Amino acid sequence: MAEAATAHEFDILILGGGSGGYAAALRASELGFSVGLVEKGKLGGTCLHNGCIPTKALLHSAEIADHARDAGKYGVNVTLDSIDMNAVNAYKGGIIAGKFKGLTGLIKSKGITVIEGEGRLTAPNTVTVGGTDYTGKNIILATGSYSRSLPGLEIGGRVITSDQALELDYVPNSVIVLGGGVIGVEFASVWKSFGVDVTIVEGLPSLVPNEDAAIVKQLERAFKKRGIKFSTGTFFQGVEQNENGVKVTLVDGKTFEADLLLVAVGRGPSTANLGFEEQGVTIDRGFVITNERLHTGVGNIYAVGDIVPGVQLAHRGFQQGIFVAEEIAGLNPVVVEDVNIPKVTYCDPEIATVGYTEKAAKEKFGDDQVQTQEYNLAGNGKSSILGTSGLIKVVRQKEGPVVGVHMIGARMGEQIGEAQLIVNWEAYPEDVAQFIHAHPTQNEALGEAHLALAGKPLHG
């Protein structure tokens, strides 16, 4: 491993220790570079402390609550007395603490220098932290994102973001969720499992509007069945709050009242007041503009993760961090398009997708050049055992490769690995039809969908 020329000079200096930043640091260290990693908070960033890990811990607690509530259907007699949020938070906190300890130990073991404090880019090769300058032959910007709000909508009191929602020490009676995207439907799912009266408000015509139409239809049907209410197609106008709750008004005059309003309108890039523009880095609506190889066009400055336009996913940050470290090393890594990065929304039912939706595929290849196949999970034995419903939809080019896989149902996120390989390796349904999928598994359903699209359905 290379050593820094001085304590303040590095081959690679990274601003931000979240998913993209620490992945870049670890890979760069493996490649023999001296690495400095600047972080103002805790290593692991949003994903570990305020995002992926804590929300999925809550979702697992919610799943356990649902299992207890429904246990009688499976011949197990138990009762669900209450949700102990102190215990839930202790469980969640234990997971975070364990992962944080492991990450900090790994970073230390790789000889990576962690620089604590808020950094600012003060030259094309310099980051200043607390009045001290640190230089890097290469700079990687990885400053992450924050919970956005809407213009004029102030966070405070009974108006909260996911950051505050993760720290609630009680179960509210009712919640309005502003935003029907990934964050909104995940929290709505958790709270409904905890016994909360939930209403989602989404200005666009549907929940999870970026998903394939078949997935949207299934999710909305499932949410209605679960008793999760939602209003779509009308935008938020304002909110009033008092000591008892909130009253939300939409532009069409509809009103909703609840204990809390969760603002879940997405995440914004954390790039303000960090010196990027002063050093010539192009910023557009807060995002750092790069070429396809994540170079900013200024010196040896690169950017990764949520500050780069595109899908905001921790594993995209991991991939981009590794990519840039290898790019600096001259390894010429392969560019992965955002559309081919797998996405999972961990609500109940779970959504897992990769590649083009049917609509996007038709826009790219032409209406008559796209074929689709849907496989209903009602025909899958393991899904029946689990008591889940949903479907798997495969999108292919006509007489060509699979370009999209879209799934909804319990534990569908666990199927996305094979789906990603199918799409990224441009496999044909006829190729996948030859694979053997173990029985009984939900994974069989993915195989069945491809069998059907290859013209030889087994159970369809």
Side-chain angles (χ1 to χ4, degrees), residues 23 62 85 115 136 139 165 188 192 209 211 240 251 253 259 283 285 287 311 323 378 395 431 437:
M85 282 307 300
I115 303 160
I139 301 287
K192 186 61 184 179
E211 300 293 351
E240 301 172 23
V251 294
D259 291 351
I283 302 293
R285 293 174 297 175
F287 291 97
V311 292
F323 177 96
V395 182
D431 299 326
H437 295 81

Side-chain angles (χ1 to χ4, degrees), residues 60-331:
H60 185 59
S61 291
E63 182 184 23
I64 298 300
D66 287 333
H67 286 335
R69 189 178 291 111
D70 299 335
K73 293 192 299 186
Y74 307 100
V76 179
N77 296 319
V78 300
T79 58
L80 177 63
D81 296 326
S82 64
I83 304 296
D84 182 347
M85 282 307 300
N86 288 326
V88 169
N89 287 332
Y91 153 70
K92 170 171 62 71
I95 299 294
I96 295 169
K99 295 300 179 185
F100 176 63
K101 181 179 179 181
L103 176 60
T104 53
L106 180 61
I107 292 290
K108 183 178 180 180
S109 73
K110 298 295 184 180
I112 296 164
T113 300
V114 176
I115 303 160
E116 297 180 356
E118 185 167 356
R120 178 181 173 85
L121 189 67
T122 51
N125 68 339
T126 305
V127 172
T128 301
V129 183
T132 301
D133 291 341
Y134 298 87
T135 62
K137 295 175 183 176
N138 301 274
I139 301 287
I140 301 176
L141 308 178
T143 47
S145 61
Y146 64 92
S147 295
R148 291 177 53 233
S149 186
L150 297 176
L153 178 55
E154 295 186 8
I155 305 302
R158 293 180 176 271
V159 179
I160 64 175
T161 69
S162 60
D163 294 337
Q164 293 81 45
L166 285 168
E167 300 304 321
L168 287 180
D169 59 1
Y170 68 97
V171 178
N173 292 315
S174 57
V175 178
I176 299 166
V177 177
L178 179 58
V182 172
I183 298 170
V185 298
E186 287 189 351
F187 272 97
S189 195
V190 167
W191 277 322
K192 186 61 184 179
S193 297
F194 285 174
V196 179
D197 182 14
V198 181
T199 302
I200 303 172
V201 173
E202 169 57 56
L204 295 176
S206 72
L207 300 180
V208 289
N210 293 326
E211 300 293 351
D212 188 272
I215 300 299
V216 172
K217 183 178 179 181
Q218 285 283 323
L219 180 68
E220 291 186 346
R221 180 184 299 165
F223 270 22
K224 286 178 181 177
K225 186 176 180 179
R226 291 189 63 196
I228 297 174
K229 295 169 284 188
F230 51 90
S231 172
T232 58
T234 304
F235 287 95
F236 170 86
Q237 184 176 70
V239 59
E240 301 172 23
Q241 63 170 311
N242 55 42
E243 65 274 12
N244 297 316
V246 296
K247 180 179 180 180
V248 170
T249 303
L250 307 186
V251 294
D252 65 358
K254 289 181 183 176
T255 60
F256 302 92
E257 296 186 25
D259 291 351
L260 297 172
L261 171 63
L262 171 67
V263 180
V265 294
R267 298 187 65 82
S270 296
T271 57
N273 304 313
L274 294 177
F276 297 172
E277 287 181 286
E278 289 88 335
Q279 301 308 317
V281 174
T282 301
I283 302 293
D284 182 17
R285 293 174 297 175
F287 291 97
V288 175
I289 304 304
T290 70
N291 63 14
E292 69 169 4
R293 306 199 72 79
L294 301 175
H295 189 267
T296 63
V298 177
N300 291 325
I301 301 176
Y302 298 82
V304 301
D306 286 358
I307 62 173
V308 177
V311 292
Q312 293 177 313
L313 298 166
H315 47 280
R316 176 180 180 252
F318 293 149
Q319 183 270 336
Q320 289 184 339
I322 294 168
F323 177 96
V324 168
E326 294 182 350
E327 179 78 353
I328 293 169
L331 300 181

